[in-house]
């Protein structure tokens, strides 16, 4: 009996180390200096570069919130870039899940992230935070407060629109459960 056991052990040494060595090879650490979290979120290094950083969720959100990826691109270029990103990402469930344009956990659309940015919020802001930021900003530029101020009126509209985008997204999420 002990002989059979031994032959399994020695005959198939890969049974033992397989899982652990494989895991070690595929786990990639966050590219943010000093961070020990797994780097699961690809983020473009530069607008015209296919190269990617790989960050943990927290650092990907931080990176995305500080850098306007579309800076310096005209509207058409930005659009084709967005489409290209989507195509590139669709091959990997992970990359699609952690798309650069969304939040760290992939639950935010590109529009939502833009709307959040307009309200001065990061992608991980919850809806209560959104409401507070929206109210505070809307008060500042409300037509009653700044009558005849065209710039303020325009900003007021943009803030309303941003809030509407986020409110509808929140409702969609609630319906989905
Ligand atoms: Zn990190």
């Amino acid at each position: 009996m002990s002989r059979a056991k031994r032959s399994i052990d020695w005959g198939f040494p890969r049974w033992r180390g397989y899982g652990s060595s494989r895991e070690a090879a595929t786990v990639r650490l966050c590219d943010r200096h000093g961070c020990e979290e797994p780097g699961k979120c690809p983020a473009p290094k530069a607008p015209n570069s296919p190269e990617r950083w790989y960050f943990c969720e927290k650092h990907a959100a931080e990176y995305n919130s500080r850098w306007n990826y579309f800076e310096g691109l005209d509207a058409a270029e930005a659009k084709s870039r967005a489409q290209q990103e989507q195509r590139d990402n669709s091959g990997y469930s992970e990359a699609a899940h952690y798309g650069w344009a969304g939040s760290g956990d992939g639950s935010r659309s590109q529009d939502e992230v833009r709307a959040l940015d307009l309200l001065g919020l990061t992608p991980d802001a919850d809806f209560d935070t959104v409401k507070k930021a929206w109210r505070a900003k809307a008060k500042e530029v409300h037509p009653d407060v700044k009558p005849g101020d065209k710039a303020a009126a325009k900003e007021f509209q943009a803030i309303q629109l941003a809030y509407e985008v986020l409110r509808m997204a929140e409702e969609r999420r609630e319906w989905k459960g």
Side-chain angles (χ1 to χ4, degrees):
M1 286 300 136
S2 67
R3 201 172 188 186
K5 229 183 201 171
R6 194 188 278 175
S7 79
I8 287 168
D9 249 354
W10 292 4
F12 301 92
R14 294 183 66 194
W15 283 17
R16 306 184 109 191
Y18 190 65
S20 57
S21 67
R22 191 158 177 244
E23 199 179 356
T26 54
V27 171
R28 162 169 197 154
L29 292 184
C30 175
D31 282 329
R32 170 75 177 239
H33 182 73
C35 181
E36 304 274 315
E37 296 292 312
K40 295 188 289 189
C41 313
K45 287 187 180 181
N48 294 310
S49 166
E51 285 178 51
R52 298 282 185 274
W53 294 112
Y54 286 84
F55 294 117
C56 65
E57 290 186 24
K58 186 178 139 228
H59 287 132
E62 191 184 10
Y63 181 78
N64 285 338
S65 73
R66 285 184 185 181
W67 183 43
N68 178 6
Y69 180 59
F70 290 132
E71 201 170 24
L73 297 179
D74 68 27
E77 281 173 326
K79 197 177 166 201
S80 81
R81 172 59 40 89
Q83 283 166 347
Q84 193 190 326
E85 285 294 334
Q86 254 163 15
R87 203 170 52 233
D88 289 352
N89 284 349
S90 63
Y92 315 83
S93 62
E94 202 172 70
H97 189 64
Y98 297 112
W100 64 268
S103 65
D105 64 6
S107 61
R108 296 280 194 196
S109 74
Q110 208 167 310
D111 281 346
E112 288 178 76
V113 172
R114 288 205 179 118
L116 286 163
D117 195 40
L118 199 79
L119 294 171
L121 299 171
T122 52
D124 59 357
D126 63 17
F127 193 62
D128 276 341
T129 312
V130 167
K131 258 195 265 184
K132 274 180 207 153
W134 166 62
R135 283 205 196 103
K137 287 231 174 204
K139 250 185 221 170
E140 284 173 30
V141 292
H142 196 280
D144 288 349
V145 179
K146 298 196 168 174
D149 185 332
K150 276 188 184 164
K154 208 174 156 191
E155 202 187 335
F156 183 73
Q157 268 185 346
I159 287 163
Q160 297 302 97
L161 189 65
Y163 180 72
E164 205 50 28
V165 165
L166 294 165
R167 191 183 60 76
M168 288 191 302
E170 183 70 13
E171 278 178 9
R172 274 200 301 276
R173 261 192 289 276
E174 276 171 11
W175 291 337
K176 269 192 191 168

